[in-house]
Amino acid sequence: MRLFVLGAVAALVVPLVPVAHAASPPLAWGACAPERPGFECAVLDVPLDHDDPDGQKTSVALTRKPATDRAHRVGSLVFNPGGPGASGIDYAWAWGERMSAGVRGRFDVVGFDPRGVGRSNPLRCFASEQDRAEFLARGPIFPYERAQERPFFDRYRSLASRCDQPIARHMSTADVVRDLDLLRQALGDRELTYFGTSYGSYIGTTYANMFPRNIRALAIDGVLDPVLWSGGRQISSDRRATAEVLDEFFRLCDEAACAFGPDSKKRWQALLASVRARPIVLDGQTWTYDRVVEQALFAGFASEAWTDVAAVLDQLSDAAASSLPRASQAPEPYDNFFDANLGTMCADTEYPRTFEAYRAISRYAEAGSEFGPYWWWSTSACADWPTSPDRYTGPWRARTSAPVLVVGTRFDGSTDLRGARAVARLLPNSRLLEYAGWGHIAYRRSRCAADHLHEYLLSGALPAAGTVCPANPNPFLGTGSEHDFRRSTAPAGSR
């Protein structure tokens, strides 16, 4: 999952943000696990409450791929993949080698798990994976019948008390950004070099406005509109974005004669009508309406998986209805993505407090597309969750010490191009780069976008104003992406 005015503010305003910085201790880097050769790990201790810098501490876990060209080392490149709740350490282990090569080995590539996430004093709302699975299994993925709405709302609202821990009260993006500036100091960098994708773009945008003078290079890709996110209006984007990508999925499917064609949009509408009336059983698994919508929503993230998505939708369309039970799930080690996602989302954004308000906004969400309720109802976990008093809600128009590179994909079902365009308008010292294709995050699938990002991070050189990277070929034609980063490892519904 992911998520979610401000009045006009003069473009040159630099907000005064009260930050009591403690001195950053030196980092003690050491070898990571044996299966992570070439990477080092460390822990940064930061104030749990930045308003009390000498008080209780919390930990931020780090990893780095040291620069290979030590003679021409520039500094550290700090990366965050989004979520909120995704592990920057896991992503650095997966992509660190490629990112290091992209910047010619001249940076230490640094990944971090933000406070409350993964290895960084994680927020944990359940005793085990099984406990969480049982909680989620008590209802649909999202309510799609009126009778489901109140039970779903009450169940998710109860998460506020279940997750009430000290770290949960200090997980706003502003807290993460203050940690990030302490990390910059601990790394020995006078200015920050940062690359953030998806929700990681919101970290970058917030840093740009809280610490505008501390930036060497800041690139964001798959960009959230900060006004919508901080103001609780992200649903106005979400209710349309995934459907816009799915329309492209249908168009290109029919063009390439994919498995779900011909007339794939008509087949989709017929499938939704059928599964709403009666669940479908496929290979022993029961597919309800909410599961089918979630399957199609994945198309908004990964265009390289469209052939697989089309094959599943084709099989579902042809499957006979049945009432066989769902396959059971094997227990797994505890992954706190779900918990941490809520911890940050609810800390950042003021959501409605009543069921009636949630139901009313759900009608608005559903009017946008069948995907609107999927995105909206999970935020009901925030109905009783207090927002952080330290959260940042703007202004968003700071002039940064170095230009910001803003990258957006034309058809992105999670962070649509409108978000990137909004940030490029808000930040006066920024440059917009568009990728004309499909999928979540241009860096993962466009060689053109990746090359521009690498060159900017390395030298500060910006693409020419108005640059648009061309779309890759039709994903259904099997030619794949130009770039090596073909598969997203983020859960569907994350940012």
Side-chain angles (χ1 to χ4, degrees), residues 334-385:
Y334 196 90
D335 177 351
N336 90 314
F337 178 90
F338 177 85
D339 319 50
N341 180 274
L342 297 178
T344 298
M345 184 175 71
C346 300
D348 272 350
T349 305
E350 184 74 49
Y351 286 101
R353 298 300 181 185
T354 67
F355 169 68
E356 290 72 20
Y358 265 89
R359 172 174 273 176
I361 295 174
S362 177
R363 301 295 175 261
Y364 167 77
E366 189 172 21
S369 75
E370 60 268 33
F371 301 100
Y374 173 95
W375 290 115
W376 173 244
W377 277 104
S378 65
T379 71
S380 57
C382 302
D384 282 351
W385 200 306

Side-chain angles (χ1 to χ4, degrees), residues 126 132-143 148-162 338 380-381:
F126 300 89
R132 183 174 62 227
E134 290 172 358
F135 175 88
L136 295 174
R138 291 177 200 146
I141 297 169
F142 64 90
Q148 298 170 336
E149 292 177 345
R150 184 76 205 214
F152 185 96
F153 176 80
D154 289 341
R155 185 164 52 93
Y156 265 64
R157 182 170 59 178
S158 72
L159 287 167
S161 58
R162 182 187 283 260
F338 177 85
S380 57

